[in-house]
Amino acid sequence: MTSAIQPALDALNQIILGKHNQIRLATACLLARGHLLIEDIPGVGKTTLALSLAKVLGLGFQRVQFTSDLLPADIIGVSIYEPQAAGFRFHPGPIFSQLVLADEVNRASPKTQSALLEAMEERQVTAEGETRPLPDPFFVIATQNPAQQIGTFPLPESQLDRFLMRISMGYPAAEAEKALLLERERRDLLTEVQPALSSQQLMDLQTQVKAVRVMPALVDYILALVRFTREHNGLRQGLSPRAALALKRAAQAWALLSNRQGVIPEDVQAVFAAVVNHRLIAASEREGGAPTADDILARVAIP
Amino acid sequence: MKAAIPSDYLNQTSLLRLIAVLALVLVVHLPSLPAWESALVAAGLGWRLLIALRQWKLPPPWLRTCLAVLSFAGIYASYGRIHGQLPGIALLMIMSVLKLLEMRSRRDVMVTVFLMYFILLTHFLNSQEIWTAGYLLLCASAITALLIDVNHPAEALPLRNILVSGSRMVAISLPITLLFFLLFPRIPGPLWGIPSDAGAALSGMSNEMAPGDISSLIMSNRQAFSVRFFDREPPPRERYWRGPVFDSFDGRAWKASSLSLRIQTPEAELLPPAVRYEIIVEPHRGPWLFALDVPDPTTRPDKSFIASEYQLMKGRDVITRELYVLTSHPNHVLQKELPESVRRVNLSLPRGFNPRTVALAQQLQAEHAAPEAVIRAALRMFRQQPFVYTLQPPPLGRNSVDDFLFETRRGFCEHYSSAFTFLMRAAGIPARVVTGYQGGERNELGDFFRVSDADAHAWSEVWLESKGWVRVDPTAAVAPNRIELGLSEAMQASGELPGFLQRGGWNWIRDNLTAQWDWMNTQWNRWVLAYGPEVQMDLMRRIGIQDWRSMVIVLTVTASLILGIIGLLLLRQFTPARNQEVAVRLWAQLQRRLLRAGIAQRPAEGAGSFAERVALETPELGSAVRRAAGIYQQLRYLEGATPALQKELAQVIKAIRT
């Protein structure tokens, strides 16, 4: 069953060239039942990644372009009076799909952002006094553009950790970009992609992630990493217990992708930057700078 | 092929191993059994082997009962009884083989295995040599390995594994064995009586001396005793080891008269220097203990006495190896005053024998007034006339001394001492034959002398006014080398020597090996076999233990400590924390090894990434380090600790050479 994920990864890598690590992280995030925040400039393939994931994994896909005038109801849905039925009927919003792409999430008002983040956390939506469960699997990919901060509402720090991982795409490597220009349009390619995995298989994999073994020795390592961030002067806040849990879950998913029945320190290291970078808050500029994820990994010994 | 017989408790491989180990345990007993029983034991083993291999049926109960009854009857017929040591061992062996024929349950297997341990123990009743101990350890390891194997009846364990585990268990038990050997209170005498037939094959000095006795004795290389001198080492010409003394001649053989065996130490004036030494005497048929001429009576061992002709004796035959320490005085005046009865015995001759010798004696007596002059004249005769010292003397007739002195003139030491003593008595000088050993071979390794039957010798003692008994060795007159250099030097040219005494060629290798073996044997005798109550108490006093009560307390406390420590060590193996430590410790070992090659693992570097880096930088180490890292990850992160993986990791790391 574990190897079932490999064809999906291969298919993704054929569409998005030279981004093995990001694809792998995104898949791990999905398997760990976490949500993904992609932070990058436009045009590096954020949307393509989300679309390909939906296609390859056979997920129902909805895209929401966040704007400043977007209202919560635009995401969640709204009840409309229907004369035939002589009553209100709920019209579910785009959030009721398995994969939701929230494009430029920082452009919406905090109220709308909150609605999305709450749905992500609760995996259910309460509208007009009625609670409705979201589909399963449910996976949100949000993107934001770090360069254009004018007229945006940055996601509050306290809510950033609703995302399991934050990654950035980065420019493609020269080879990959050449291939990108020479070959067919990616979007055309996408229409031909067949799902490599059924939703049932995906859910089984998500269950398997929880069964990946975490031995005391590994927990010690996670704790050492967490403790380091809490004691470091350059950081205003260290990693919370929720962050530690996120780290464990992400590492479990990564181990599953590597076909291992247990988590090794390398798995933790592989997901560490993606899991913690958006959770660490630098103290201030004066303190001599906050350590990056790589700094932390290099300075915490594996027990 | 038929389906596996359900009646067999063990799998076939384990069953074959059991038969093999039983055969190993029984095989050394076979020579001492009656032929029919050896054959029966071999046949039983072979039968069971075929049953296992061909999957035959086990014999029916009536047949087994018949075999058992017949075996009892056979043993009764062979030994005349079914109790006692030899019949007991014979019964045990037969029954252990018959047990194989009804082995179907776990209980039968266990009984057979423990029977093997017991049979193994009975080897000590027959032999207590070094090789016995080695063989016993080997067998004990084999039986223990078998015991491990039969506890997994469903399928045979790998042979190597069980042998290693079995040997390890035996090795672990050695310290405790040693402790009990040293500290368990020794009982004077053997535990269940000396086997009545222990001396059956022994040789050595006998209680009479006829021509040819000693020359046949020297054909044997059996060790008679070994000697270690404490300080001064007497020169070869003083190394006369006094044994049986014979004062009665019947025309053919010399014997001890009733007078000579009295417990009545004759007075002796012992002059310096004194020689102190330690003897380990091999068992032999006879009550003599050998001593350098002549021992100080006050230093004699317990339960021994000095008889009227100054022989050191025990009250009973020497049938076990014994160790004793003596002081001797090569310079001495023995029995200055000769009692009339003793004089009479030592002058008596059988009537009507050896007329020509008697005539010669009278002629010597007439020519020389002083006894000393007579002795000198007789020795001169041996030296000047064509006497030959040989191991193959021609046969002698009724007047053996006449024949030897005037006809054949070829003889060995018993001929010379016999003829000389006869001549002296005929010339009116009290004289007697002393047998024993002369010389001894020095063992360079062990700083001791080995005296064997090949050193057997006979000489004479004459009694002189105011000098007492004086040793005269007529052999020395004929073959001085015999005394100074030993038998093999004296006889080298003649080609008459038995093979083991010949020198030259490749023999030095054999001599060297023999010397080493003798040395080992002597150490074994000294420290293991001679470790009796006295030696034990002596040793205990040296380490400050005064009586056997304290000894038992020390024994109990030490044994409990050892067992406790072993128990704690075993316990630690089963705790999970300890298990994690094993992997970490082994990995640290690997890091040290690689550090020697200048490869260091960074603290934040996982084992797997480290292995990949090593593979990249030092490709020849790559696969081994990768493998080690894989097992390390298994142990620490994937599966948890298992002894098999820990062992594998240890082996992989051990194999890494930097």
Side-chain angles (χ1 to χ4, degrees), chain A residues 213 215 217-218 221 260-266 269 297-298 300-303, chain B residues 580 603-610 632-641:
Chain A
R213 228 178 261 183
M215 302 283 279
L218 188 96
Y221 182 48
R260 256 192 299 275
Q261 81 242 36
V263 183
I264 62 173
E266 281 90 334
Q269 293 175 344
L297 284 181
V300 176
I302 299 172
Chain B
Q580 279 301 318
E605 194 173 20
S609 342
F610 175 57
Y632 174 74
Q633 288 174 341
Q634 288 273 317
L635 278 171
R636 287 212 79 194
Y637 302 113
L638 304 185
E639 278 184 18

Side-chain angles (χ1 to χ4, degrees), chain B residues 38 153 194 416 494 630:
Chain B
S38 306
I194 283 294
Y416 289 97
S494 71

Side-chain angles (χ1 to χ4, degrees), chain B residues 268-273 294-298 310 327-329 331-334:
Chain B
E269 199 179 318
L270 303 172
L271 305 168
V294 296
D296 183 347
T298 57
Y310 231 88
T327 305
S328 281
H329 296 262
N331 298 330
H332 52 264
V333 179
L334 191 59

Side-chain angles (χ1 to χ4, degrees), chain A residues 15-240:
Chain A
I15 300 164
I16 302 153
L17 299 170
K19 295 290 170 201
H20 291 260
N21 199 44
Q22 281 83 347
I23 288 171
R24 216 175 159 84
L25 281 169
T27 315
C29 188
L30 179 63
L31 290 184
R33 298 166 74 92
H35 305 286
L36 181 66
L37 178 63
I38 306 178
E39 197 174 74
D40 220 323
I41 54 167
V44 288
K46 297 189 294 270
T47 313
T48 314
L49 175 64
L51 266 173
S52 331
L53 270 173
K55 271 274 187 184
V56 169
L57 302 178
L59 300 175
F61 177 72
Q62 282 285 347
R63 176 179 180 166
V64 186
Q65 182 65 48
F66 276 42
T67 54
S68 53
D69 55 357
L70 194 75
L71 293 172
D74 296 332
I75 306 171
I76 291 166
V78 64
S79 294
I80 295 172
Y81 182 75
E82 287 189 350
Q84 301 96 318
F88 286 90
R89 201 170 77 84
F90 184 70
H91 288 257
I95 194 100
F96 286 91
S97 54
Q98 292 172 312
L99 199 161
V100 180
L101 173 62
D103 236 349
E104 304 209 65
V105 69
N106 55 345
R107 295 217 167 265
S109 65
K111 195 177 176 188
T112 312
Q113 287 175 356
S114 287
L116 174 74
L117 293 167
E118 196 190 323
M120 279 161 55
E121 181 73 10
E122 308 290 334
R123 290 175 181 273
Q124 63 188 19
V125 169
T126 308
E128 290 144 22
E130 201 180 330
T131 301
R132 294 183 174 84
L134 292 173
D136 200 18
F138 174 67
F139 184 45
V140 174
I141 298 180
T143 69
Q144 62 178 1
N145 187 343
Q148 295 183 337
Q149 295 292 329
I150 306 159
T152 63
F153 303 93
L155 288 170
E157 284 159 359
S158 60
Q159 290 182 349
L160 266 178
D161 72 351
R162 302 277 163 85
F163 292 97
L164 181 66
M165 292 187 191
R166 187 185 73 180
I167 62 174
S168 57
M169 298 299 286
Y171 294 117
E175 277 299 306
E177 196 160 16
K178 190 175 177 186
L180 186 75
L181 295 177
L182 282 173
E183 288 172 18
R184 291 169 59 203
E185 282 274 321
R186 297 291 114 183
R187 297 287 166 103
D188 293 347
L189 220 55
L190 260 178
T191 56
E192 294 162 16
V193 167
Q194 294 301 312
L197 220 61
S198 70
S199 330
Q200 187 54 48
Q201 278 176 313
L202 185 64
M203 277 152 73
D204 286 346
L205 281 170
Q206 287 180 331
T207 317
Q208 279 183 41
V209 166
K210 293 180 185 163
V212 171
R213 228 178 261 183
V214 178
M215 302 283 279
L218 188 96
V219 172
D220 289 343
Y221 182 48
I222 293 180
L223 290 178
L225 288 169
V226 170
R227 199 176 309 117
F228 181 86
T229 63
R230 292 175 191 169
E231 288 165 1
H232 198 282
N233 281 335
L235 296 169
R236 198 174 75 214
Q237 265 176 31
L239 292 172
S240 64

